[in-house]
């Protein structure tokens, strides 16, 4: 990791949703699918906030969000603040910021660029790869399609509607079918000793995210 890079650790208190991104430059945060870090919740604006690292300090800018951005317990709204690090609240999500030269972890979900994701589908071998190791080799057709759509979009969220239509076709599925399919794939991951809820994250009423 280069010194100019930084890490954004995201969590949603009360749920199992958590992920990390290696970032550089100006990172946009919001509900929109074109945000660098997409967080889907009614309290979050489509373009909510921006984070960048400048001369070793974080510049957090509220992008005119409806509910503001909280930085180390101080509310920003249409404003910006320089901080050494700490905690940023965007809606119900908690973001911990760490400079690249201070980070010692090794299990990150990659940001943009050529870094591999933790969860990857090898289309040539028809195998699901986790942390560089083959994990699932016997995938049924719809299980493969589910993982193909999720890993292809990762780390963005895939809505229930988009996911179901991609697997079964428009109007040919229901929420129960999708839930059971995800549960089947998670069970196979658990049988291999993997934390399935961390690899395929559910956003209730919204969709799924592959890490």
């Amino acid at each position: 990791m280069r010194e100019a890079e930084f890490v954004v650790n995201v969590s949603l208190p009360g749920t199992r949703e958590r992920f990390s991104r290696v970032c550089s430059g100006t990172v946009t945060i919001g509900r929109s699918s074109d945000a660098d870090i997409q967080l889907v919740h009614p309290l979050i604006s489509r373009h909510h906030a921006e984070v960048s690292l400048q001369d070793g300090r974080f510049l957090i800018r509220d992008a005119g969000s409806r509910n503001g951005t909280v930085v180390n317990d101080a509310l920003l709204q249409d404003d910006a603040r320089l901080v050494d690090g700490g905690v940023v609240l965007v809606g119900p999500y908690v973001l911990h910021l760490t400079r690249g030269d201070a980070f010692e972890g090794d299990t990150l979900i990659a940001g943009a660029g050529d870094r591999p994701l933790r969860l990857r589908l090898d289309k040539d071998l028809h195998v699901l790869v986790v942390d560089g190791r083959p994990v699932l080799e016997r995938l049924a057709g719809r299980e493969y399609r589910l993982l193909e759509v999720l890993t292809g979009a990762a780390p963005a969220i895939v809505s229930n509607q988009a996911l179901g239509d991609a697997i079964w076709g428009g109007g040919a599925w229901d929420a129960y079918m999708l839930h059971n399919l995800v549960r089947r794939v998670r069970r196979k991951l658990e049988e291999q000793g993997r934390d399935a809820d961390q690899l395929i994250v559910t956003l209730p009423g919204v969709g799924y995210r592959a890490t």
Side-chain angles (χ1 to χ4, degrees), residues 16 118 130 186 189-190 192-200 211:
R16 295 179 64 86
R118 287 189 60 195
V130 179
R186 281 183 171 149
L189 286 166
E190 289 166 355
Q192 299 299 317
R194 299 292 176 168
D195 188 342
D197 288 337
Q198 288 289 342
L199 294 171
I200 302 177
T211 62

Side-chain angles (χ1 to χ4, degrees), residues 125-128 134-140 188 192:
L125 299 177
H126 235 252
V127 170
L128 181 69
V135 172
L136 298 184
E137 299 182 1
R138 295 185 298 277
L139 291 166
K188 289 187 175 184
Q192 299 299 317

Side-chain angles (χ1 to χ4, degrees), residues 36-186:
D36 296 316
I37 297 179
Q38 184 191 17
L39 304 175
V40 177
H41 191 277
L43 294 177
I44 297 176
S45 300
R46 288 180 56 80
H47 299 97
H48 197 106
E50 296 178 350
V51 176
S52 60
L53 185 61
Q54 300 186 6
D55 298 324
R57 302 187 73 193
F58 290 101
L59 177 65
I60 297 98
R61 183 184 304 278
D62 183 85
S65 67
R66 177 174 298 181
N67 296 299
T69 302
V70 177
V71 180
N72 293 338
D73 297 325
L75 177 66
L76 298 182
Q77 200 150 25
D78 294 321
D79 198 1
R81 177 163 302 188
L82 272 170
V83 295
D84 292 324
V87 179
V88 179
L89 304 182
V90 178
Y93 283 86
V94 180
L95 284 65
H96 291 267
L97 308 178
T98 310
R99 294 192 313 274
D101 58 348
F103 186 76
E104 298 177 354
D106 60 359
T107 57
L108 294 174
I109 300 168
D114 57 2
R115 300 181 188 86
L117 295 167
R118 287 189 60 195
L119 194 67
R120 182 174 61 84
L121 194 62
D122 189 318
K123 295 183 179 181
D124 293 328
L125 299 177
H126 235 252
V127 170
L128 181 69
V129 178
V130 179
D131 293 331
R133 297 182 179 181
V135 172
L136 298 184
E137 299 182 1
R138 295 185 298 277
L139 291 166
R142 289 195 177 103
E143 294 170 351
Y144 181 89
R145 180 60 177 153
L146 170 75
L147 291 168
E148 183 179 41
V149 175
L150 289 178
T151 56
I157 299 161
V158 181
S159 70
N160 292 328
Q161 186 70 49
L163 192 55
D165 288 352
I167 296 168
W168 287 279
W173 63 280
D174 58 33
Y176 181 76
M177 293 164 61
L178 180 57
H179 172 75
N180 277 346
L181 179 61
V182 173
R183 186 172 61 179
R184 248 189 354 255
V185 173
R186 281 183 171 149

